[in-house]
Amino acid sequence: MTEQEQILKLREELHQHNYNYYVLNTPTISDRDFDMLMHQLQDLEKLHPEMNDPNSPTQRVGSDLNNEFVTVQHKRPMLSLANTYNKQEVSEFYERVKDGLQGAPFQICCELKFDGLSISLHYKNGILIKAVTRGDGTQGDDVTQNIRTIKTIPLQLPKEGNYPNEFEIRGEVLMPWTSFERLNKQREENEEPLFANPRNAASGTLKSKNSSVVAERGLDAYLYYLLGDNIPGDGHYQNMAAAAKWGFQVSKAMKLADTLEDIYKYIEYWDTERKNLPVATDGIVLKVNSLAQQRSMGMTAKSPRWAIAYKFQAEQAETTLRQVVFQVGRTGAVTPVANMDPIQLSGTQVRRATLHNADILEQLDLHIGDHILVEKGGEIIPKVVGKACPTDSDSQKISFITHCPACGNKLIRYEGEAAHYCPNDMECPPQIVGKIEHFVSRKAMNINSLGTEIIEQYYKQGLIHNANDLYTLKAEQLLNADETNKISVNNILAGIEESKNVPFERVLFAMGIRFVGENAAKSLARYFGSIKRLSTATLEELTQVNGIGDVIAGSIIRYFADERNRNFVNQLEKHGLKMKISQEQQEAKSDRLKDMSIVISGVFTHHSRDEYKEFIEKHGGKNVGSISGKTSFILAGDNMGPSKLEKAQKLGVKIMDETEFLRLIGEE
Ligand code: IVH
C-alpha cells in the first residue's frame, strides 16, 4: 500500500472509531490505540501536504487561523417555531392539525427542544461541505471550520451508507453542562466574564474566530431535521432514524404519539427527566410526522403550521425575603444579594439569590417580608425574578446603597457599566482579603497552605494587610494567633517561602491587575521579559502583544501610574519574587522580528501553526490575523487561501515560505 493509500485507509478507520466513540458510545478500540492511529495519520499527512483534506479526522483539533465568517444564503429558509406555554395551547395545536388534515389519520413526533443554537449542515456524496448558522433565517455565517471540531458531527459518512447524494440536516449545537462548568471555572480563575448559560457559551464559542478554541471547549450537537430532494421516506421520525444509521447523533428521546394523551404523557415525563440530561433543554417540539401532511399544512411567514414548541417553565419557587446584603468583591464591584427562607430548586437547597445590580433592584421594588419568586434557569446563580404577590408589609422599599458597606467610601458607577464600585481598593477589607486570596490561588502563587479562613483571620488580627506582609510573617506571630498549630504554621511558612520560585508570568497574574488574566500575564511576561519594561510600556507597545487590546493595556497603564502600586511591586521584588523571565527564556529571545506584523497562512511541514506563532512572539514580532498595508510579510505554507493570496499581491506584501522564515529567525 502506498503512503497515500494508507492515509485514506487511516482516515476511514478513524472516522468509524470517532462515530463508535462519540455517537454510539461504544468504542471498539482503546484510547491508546486510537491515539496511535491518529499519530500515524498525522505523521503521514505531514509527509504528504498534497493530500491535505479539511475533513481529515486530524483536523478536529481546529486551527488558530483567523477565520472571518462569510455570509451565505440558506437554500431553504430556517424558520422558527411558534411557542406555547400550557397544555391548553397544546390541545389547540392538536385541534388545528386535525382540522387542517380534514380528519385524515396522523401522528405527532414528540422531541426535546434543545437549548443551543441551530445549525444547518450540508453533505455532498457523504462529505460535510458546509455548516451555516441560522443568522436571520434567510442568511447565516459559514462556520464550517469551527463545526468540523465537534466530534459528534460526522465529517464523512461511511462509504456504503444509503444516503442521498446531496442533503441538508439541521440541528442544535450545544455546550454540555460539564463543559460549561469547566469553562466558567477556568474563566473565573482567569478573571474573564462568565457565560450566563450553556446557550450563550455555545454561541460565543461557535462564533470564535479561532477554531482551536472551539475544539477545546467540547461542544456537542443533536440533529433533528432532514431536508433535501431525495430523502428516504415520508416519515420524519423514520428519516431521523435513518440519519442516525448514517452516523448522526439523533436524540433517543424522539417518540411518535397517536393521541393528545400520549403527548401530555411525553411532556410530563420529560419535564422532570430532562434534569438528568447532559445538555440543556427548554421545552418539547411537536411535529406532524408525515412530510406530505406537513406540506399540505404549509407555513406562515415565520413558522411552520405543522409544528409547535411547548416551553418548560424555568424552575421557580416562592419564598420569603428576609434581608438584602451588599457584597463587595475583590475588584470593588458591589452586588446586592437576597437572603431568604431556604427552598429547594433544581435539586439543591437555596437560601441566597442575586439581585444583580442597582437597576434590577429598583425594578423589583422589594420590601423585607415580601413573597418573592426565585428562579434557577440556565444561569449558575439563582436569581430573584419578581414578587409572588404585592407587598404586604409597611417596611421600606429596599434601595441600592450609596456608600460601601465595608469601608464607608462613596460608591461610583463607571460610564457604561451596570455595577457600582467601591473605589477604596487599598483599604476596603473585602477587597484586601479578596486580593490576597487571589494572590495565593493555585494559578497565581499557589500557596495552598493558606485558605480563605486563615487569610481572613490573619487580616482581622492585623498580621497581614497586603500580599507583601506574607513574606515578613514570623512563626511566633502565627503561633500566637489562635487555631493555628505548629505543623500548619510550618506548612504555611514553607508554602510562602516556596512561592519565591514561582515564574514571573504567574507573579504578574498574582498582582491582580484588573483584566490581566492568566493568559494575558503569560503573553505580557514573555513579550516584555521583566516588570521594569512592562511597567514603562506605552499603550502602543502594550497593544502590540498578542491578545492585548485597549482595555487590558489601559488597565496596565493605570495600575503602574499609581505610586502605591509601584511601591507594592517594588516590595514584592525585594522579598525575592521573580520579576523577570528566566535566563533560559531570555536567551531564547531575539529582536529579529521587532516591530513586524506577520500573518500566518496555509499548512506547514516543519512546525505546527502554534509553534510558528510562538517563534514570532519569541523574536519580538506580532502575529496578526488579516492582511493589510501594515503587514510585514506572510508566512505561507501550502494551500494558502486564494483570497489571501490575491490581497497580498494587491498590497504588495511579501510572501515567505517556512524555510526562509526559519533561516531569518535562526531556528533552521
Ligand atoms: S425543528 C421548522 N426541532 O428551536 C422547524 N427545532 O424556535 C425547525 N430547536 O431554531 C426547527 N430543538 O434552534 C426543531 N427538536 C427540535 C429542536 C429545535 C431545538 C430550536 C431550533 C429552532 C428553534 C425554534
Side-chain angles (χ1 to χ4, degrees):
M1 204 184 316
T2 66
E3 286 184 338
Q4 280 89 338
E5 284 166 339
Q6 270 181 48
I7 291 182
L8 295 178
K9 185 165 165 276
L10 278 167
R11 283 180 184 164
E12 207 168 320
E13 275 178 39
L14 285 162
H15 278 308
Q16 183 63 42
H17 288 309
N18 264 327
Y19 172 67
N20 294 346
Y21 185 92
Y22 288 106
V23 181
L24 300 182
N25 285 322
T26 44
T28 53
I29 58 167
S30 71
D31 288 1
R32 202 163 154 233
D33 291 345
F34 180 89
D35 288 344
M36 263 168 53
L37 292 177
M38 186 64 96
H39 281 135
Q40 258 177 32
L41 177 58
Q42 272 164 343
D43 290 345
L44 284 168
E45 286 183 346
K46 264 195 197 141
L47 294 175
H48 293 278
E50 81 285 357
M51 297 274 294
N52 172 48
D53 175 0
N55 277 340
S56 165
T58 55
Q59 301 301 304
R60 296 275 197 197
V61 290
S63 106
D64 57 1
L65 179 77
N66 262 353
N67 47 23
E68 267 132 44
F69 303 120
V70 179
T71 308
V72 286
Q73 201 78 14
H74 289 300
K75 257 188 163 169
R76 310 164 187 88
M78 284 181 86
L79 301 175
S80 62
L81 295 168
N83 287 327
T84 61
Y85 294 89
N86 54 52
K87 288 191 176 162
Q88 175 61 32
E89 287 172 329
V90 170
S91 130
E92 284 164 17
F93 165 72
Y94 199 79
E95 289 307 313
R96 278 202 305 279
V97 172
K98 225 192 234 168
D99 290 350
L101 297 176
Q102 297 167 348
F106 65 92
Q107 283 183 306
I108 297 287
C109 182
C110 307
E111 32 196 277
L112 294 171
K113 186 169 192 301
F114 293 103
D115 194 12
L117 64 152
S118 42
I119 190 79
S120 149
L121 308 176
H122 294 262
Y123 284 80
K124 204 169 176 180
N125 300 321
I127 290 173
L128 171 69
I129 52 162
K130 196 170 275 179
V132 189
T133 60
R134 178 168 185 273
D136 63 3
T138 51
Q139 52 181 27
D141 283 336
D142 181 336
V143 287
T144 320
Q145 281 297 86
N146 287 349
I147 284 293
R148 282 203 175 100
T149 67
I150 302 179
K151 303 219 170 59
T152 41
I153 294 184
L155 302 178
Q156 194 171 336
L157 309 181
K159 287 257 150 43
E160 66 282 8
N162 171 21
Y163 40 80
N165 287 342
E166 250 181 88
F167 65 89
E168 178 182 350
I169 190 161
R170 292 183 186 167
E172 203 84 350
V173 171
L174 301 147
M175 184 173 286
W177 290 110
T178 49
S179 308
F180 171 69
E181 274 147 25
R182 190 182 56 210
L183 173 64
N184 259 354
K185 198 159 158 253
Q186 217 173 41
R187 290 176 76 87
E188 200 172 354
E189 281 168 8
N190 290 345
E191 288 199 8
E192 290 161 331
L194 301 190
F195 285 113
N197 51 48
R199 177 177 13 91
N200 290 1
S203 158
T205 302
L206 199 61
K207 302 276 166 64
S208 168
K209 297 225 161 88
N210 182 333
S211 62
S212 55
V213 169
V214 188
E216 278 164 26
R217 291 211 184 152
L219 293 179
D220 201 353
Y222 283 88
L223 287 312
Y224 48 62
Y225 194 16
L226 185 65
L227 301 99
D229 294 332
N230 296 309
I231 54 178
D234 176 62
H236 163 69
Y237 180 90
Q238 289 79 3
N239 285 337
M240 293 317 300
K245 287 219 176 80
W246 305 336
F248 291 99
Q249 177 159 259
V250 173
S251 164
K252 292 193 180 64
M254 284 176 75
K255 202 168 178 170
L256 285 173
D258 290 309
T259 63
L260 186 58
E261 284 312 306
D262 288 349
I263 297 176
Y264 288 161
K265 270 194 209 134
Y266 185 87
I267 292 179
E268 268 153 38
Y269 177 78
W270 283 107
D271 200 357
T272 44
E273 199 53 32
R274 72 193 181 101
K275 287 162 202 153
N276 300 321
L277 293 171
V279 293
T281 53
D282 61 343
I284 299 288
V285 180
L286 303 171
K287 299 173 183 168
V288 171
N289 192 49
S290 151
L291 302 190
Q293 288 181 335
Q294 288 183 3
R295 278 190 295 274
S296 82
M297 291 190 71
M299 332 240 179
T300 69
K302 271 194 2 225
S303 52
R305 292 201 181 84
W306 46 263
I308 202 162
Y310 167 87
K311 299 271 277 219
F312 295 127
Q313 289 274 357
E315 245 197 295
Q316 268 187 5
E318 197 182 314
T319 182
T320 308
L321 177 67
R322 295 294 174 199
Q323 188 191 22
V324 172
V325 294
F326 293 86
Q327 278 182 352
V328 186
R330 141 167 100 87
T331 60
V334 179
T335 315
V337 175
N339 285 334
M340 55 223 188
D341 289 348
I343 33 159
Q344 283 294 120
L345 255 183
S346 307
T348 49
Q349 196 181 56
V350 176
R351 46 178 84 231
R352 288 154 68 75
T354 179
L355 294 157
H356 298 286
N357 55 44
D359 293 343
I360 292 180
L361 184 68
E362 176 65 29
Q363 272 167 26
L364 287 166
D365 178 30
L366 295 179
H367 304 248
I368 300 302
D370 273 351
H371 291 281
I372 52 173
L373 287 171
V374 181
E375 192 174 288
K376 197 168 175 188
E379 290 77 15
I380 332 150
I381 307 168
K383 59 181 181 192
V384 177
V385 289
K387 288 195 278 197
C389 51
T391 300
D392 171 32
S393 84
D394 18 337
S395 70
Q396 264 197 351
K397 172 173 173 172
I398 297 163
S399 43
F400 205 82
I401 47 175
T402 53
H403 291 76
C404 176
C407 73
N409 259 266
K410 193 168 174 7
L411 301 181
I412 48 173
R413 193 174 192 172
Y414 301 110
E415 211 182 300
E417 286 205 43
H420 282 75
Y421 286 88
C422 165
N424 183 18
D425 56 343
M426 294 284 175
E427 298 294 332
C428 177
Q431 292 191 59
I432 294 175
V433 171
K435 284 191 177 82
I436 302 177
E437 274 171 12
H438 168 77
F439 186 85
V440 305
S441 65
R442 194 170 55 85
K443 294 205 168 163
M445 304 306 282
N446 192 24
I447 311 178
N448 55 18
S449 46
L450 273 175
T452 305
E453 277 164 32
I454 301 185
I455 293 175
E456 274 177 6
Q457 186 195 332
Y458 288 1
Y459 171 70
K460 277 194 197 130
Q461 290 170 331
L463 291 174
I464 51 175
H465 200 79
N466 68 39
N468 267 301
D469 299 335
L470 296 174
Y471 295 93
T472 52
L473 286 175
K474 299 271 175 307
E476 309 85 70
Q477 283 176 299
L478 304 188
L479 282 167
N480 285 338
D482 51 357
E483 285 173 52
T484 317
N485 64 37
K486 208 166 172 183
I487 298 175
S488 56
V489 163
N490 285 341
N491 272 342
I492 289 169
L493 291 175
I496 294 174
E497 191 54 33
E498 217 169 279
S499 74
K500 294 180 183 169
N501 297 323
V502 162
F504 173 46
E505 58 195 46
R506 277 169 48 200
V507 177
L508 182 57
F509 173 56
M511 286 176 198
I513 305 174
R514 209 155 169 230
F515 306 123
V516 178
E518 197 195 340
N519 290 331
K522 206 179 267 174
S523 311
L524 290 163
R526 285 194 191 153
Y527 190 91
F528 291 103
S530 69
I531 198 80
K532 206 164 161 198
R533 283 197 55 212
L534 172 69
S535 60
T536 50
T538 61
L539 191 83
E540 241 172 24
E541 287 169 325
L542 288 164
T543 49
Q544 283 291 306
V545 185
N546 241 328
I548 307 295
D550 286 347
V551 174
I552 302 183
S555 166
I556 294 169
I557 289 192
R558 277 194 301 281
Y559 184 87
F560 288 108
D562 189 328
E563 197 189 342
R564 295 170 306 172
N565 292 328
R566 291 201 303 272
N567 287 339
F568 171 75
V569 174
N570 282 341
Q571 268 191 317
L572 287 179
E573 189 162 15
K574 285 209 183 97
H575 290 310
L577 271 60
K578 296 214 183 315
M579 292 295 169
K580 295 205 256 282
I581 57 171
S582 68
Q583 193 69 25
E584 258 167 42
Q585 280 176 308
Q586 190 65 40
E587 275 162 14
K589 275 179 65 127
S590 85
D591 277 346
R592 294 187 199 209
L593 304 176
K594 193 165 184 280
D595 297 330
M596 293 193 192
S597 294
I598 300 156
V599 172
I600 307 181
S601 179
V603 184
F604 298 93
T605 339
H606 299 304
H607 294 278
S608 72
R609 188 182 278 273
D610 272 340
E611 284 166 347
Y612 278 119
K613 211 160 121 184
E614 277 192 14
F615 279 143
I616 293 176
E617 281 176 13
K618 197 167 108 181
H619 293 282
K622 187 182 179 189
N623 170 222
V624 291
S626 55
I627 304 169
S628 74
K630 287 193 201 142
T631 308
S632 311
F633 63 86
I634 298 168
L635 167 58
D638 291 326
N639 296 324
M640 177 174 163
S643 61
K644 275 212 165 118
L645 196 62
E646 198 181 311
K647 196 160 176 194
Q649 281 160 350
K650 211 165 97 197
L651 294 170
V653 176
K654 181 179 161 66
I655 296 175
M656 194 181 289
D657 70 15
E658 276 183 282
T659 330
E660 196 182 345
F661 176 75
L662 290 170
R663 203 172 303 133
L664 172 70
I665 58 170
E667 306 257 2
E668 283 164 289

